[in-house]
Amino acid sequence: MGLDGGGTKTDCVLMEEGGTIVGRGRGAASNPSRIGIEAAARGVRQAAEAALNEANLKMEQVTDVCAGLAGVAAPERATAMHEILREFFAGTKFELCTDLDLALEAADAPIMIVLVAGTGSAAIGRNEAGCMARSGGHGPKTSDEGSAFSVGKYAVEAVKNITRGDASPLRDQILQQLGVESAESISGLERDAADAVYPRVFPVVASAADEGDELARSLLHDAAKSLAGFVDGVQNDLQLAGRNYLLGKTGGMIGRSSYFDDILDAELRRVAPQAQLEILQTPLVEVAARRALKP
């Protein structure tokens, strides 16, 4: 069993020894730094139970589990999550790691940096000496610049300041997406409410940017600069600036908007002109399952 969880959802796959996937499931968010240990554990259990139901299997038939979750880099959260999940996965070989660990494994190169752009945002890298560095990924209060959460929050604040009565297609689309009458009613949200709202705004901004909306394009341009800044920080820490290495991209923001993809690539090439840009094709949840299958 492999699991990949973050601030919006948790995915699960059941994989046989030969690599055949026999079940898939999805649960709620499972980032404990955003929603707490108990809620995060519920998201993991939901995803696992959904995959088991699809495969018509029981937990007792699973031998190995790898769960790669956002928000477990801090040792105290990792320990708490491991303890609460260990009860659910009793009888299995269970590994808890971060989603960034899965991203590095997906890239599978001796020298690399991986940019994760989803509900949260971060970059992680490794050089030829095996040294590792990361930037971002510590939650919306201290980082996550350029993430879907951040784009959504800034978009709501921006349309809130548009004078009522002025034409604003982006504002109208955001309000329609969220099913509310005014932006004022959804600004300044905290914790669970914020996670339930702001990431849902990103697809609206992405679509509007492709249609030429200037405000949406400005928001995404700022996000691309922030994400490139994470990469720049990691490459400087690892002394990779100006060198040829694999620069992988993954996360729910990638491939959602041609405008955003183009502007992000331009920003990444600006800070890492010699790097080889690549979208990581293997879903991280499958990377987790393959990691679980290793002896």
Side-chain angles (χ1 to χ4, degrees):
M1 176 181 286
L3 296 116
D4 169 38
T8 301
K9 59 181 175 58
T10 305
D11 287 322
C12 178
V13 299
L14 291 164
M15 183 180 288
E16 294 179 331
E17 284 286 350
T20 300
I21 293 174
V22 297
R24 293 182 182 272
R26 177 165 289 184
S30 57
N31 181 335
S33 72
R34 306 179 81 102
I35 61 175
I37 301 298
E38 292 286 347
R42 283 197 297 272
V44 172
R45 290 193 293 264
Q46 286 172 2
E49 289 166 352
L52 290 166
N53 287 338
E54 182 178 273
N56 196 26
L57 294 172
K58 296 184 181 301
M59 193 66 230
E60 292 77 12
Q61 295 172 272
V62 177
T63 60
D64 304 87
V65 178
C66 174
L69 309 179
V72 298
E76 63 275 11
R77 281 198 296 270
T79 298
M81 282 297 292
H82 194 280
E83 288 179 356
I84 195 170
L85 291 175
R86 196 73 198 86
E87 297 178 16
F88 179 74
F89 294 123
T92 68
K93 186 179 77 174
F94 173 58
E95 179 191 11
L96 176 67
C97 62
T98 73
D99 59 335
L100 297 181
D101 292 325
L102 297 181
L104 272 184
E105 192 155 334
D108 191 25
I111 306 174
M112 72 185 94
I113 294 177
V114 178
L115 172 66
V116 179
T119 301
S121 58
I124 187 169
R126 181 176 63 218
N127 63 18
E128 66 270 36
C131 298
M132 295 177 59
R134 62 173 282 173
S135 181
H138 300 294
K141 288 188 179 297
T142 57
S143 67
D144 278 356
E145 295 90 342
S147 65
F149 180 99
S150 177
V151 170
K153 182 176 181 179
Y154 283 126
V156 169
E157 292 298 324
V159 300
K160 183 185 71 173
N161 294 324
I162 296 174
T163 303
R164 189 181 297 274
D166 288 349
S168 174
L170 180 60
R171 178 186 59 197
D172 296 343
Q173 291 162 9
I174 290 173
L175 297 184
Q176 181 179 6
Q177 168 82 339
L178 300 178
V180 296
E181 296 294 326
S182 69
E184 288 81 0
S185 65
I186 52 172
S187 63
L189 299 176
E190 296 291 339
R191 296 186 64 80
D192 292 1
D195 277 334
V197 170
Y198 291 139
R200 292 170 53 203
V201 176
F202 172 75
V204 178
V205 176
S207 178
D210 283 349
E211 295 171 1
D213 186 280
E214 289 301 322
L215 175 56
R217 291 190 167 193
S218 176
L219 291 165
L220 294 186
H221 199 169
D222 289 345
K225 288 181 178 180
S226 294
L227 294 171
F230 285 148
V231 171
D232 195 31
V234 170
Q235 74 171 358
N236 287 333
D237 288 344
L238 296 177
Q239 298 182 332
L240 295 178
R243 296 180 56 186
N244 186 338
Y245 62 86
L246 176 65
L247 176 48
K249 301 180 296 177
T250 188
M253 296 174 71
I254 308 300
R256 298 294 296 268
S257 159
S258 59
Y259 175 82
F260 179 67
D261 288 342
D262 289 345
I263 202 67
L264 177 59
D265 284 356
E267 288 297 322
L268 293 175
R269 290 192 179 98
R270 179 179 61 81
V271 300
Q274 302 301 318
Q276 305 170 45
L277 292 182
E278 180 180 309
I279 297 176
L280 302 185
Q281 298 297 332
T282 304
L284 297 189
V285 65
E286 295 180 23
V287 175
R290 292 187 179 126
R291 183 162 168 154
L293 285 172
K294 291 181 180 179

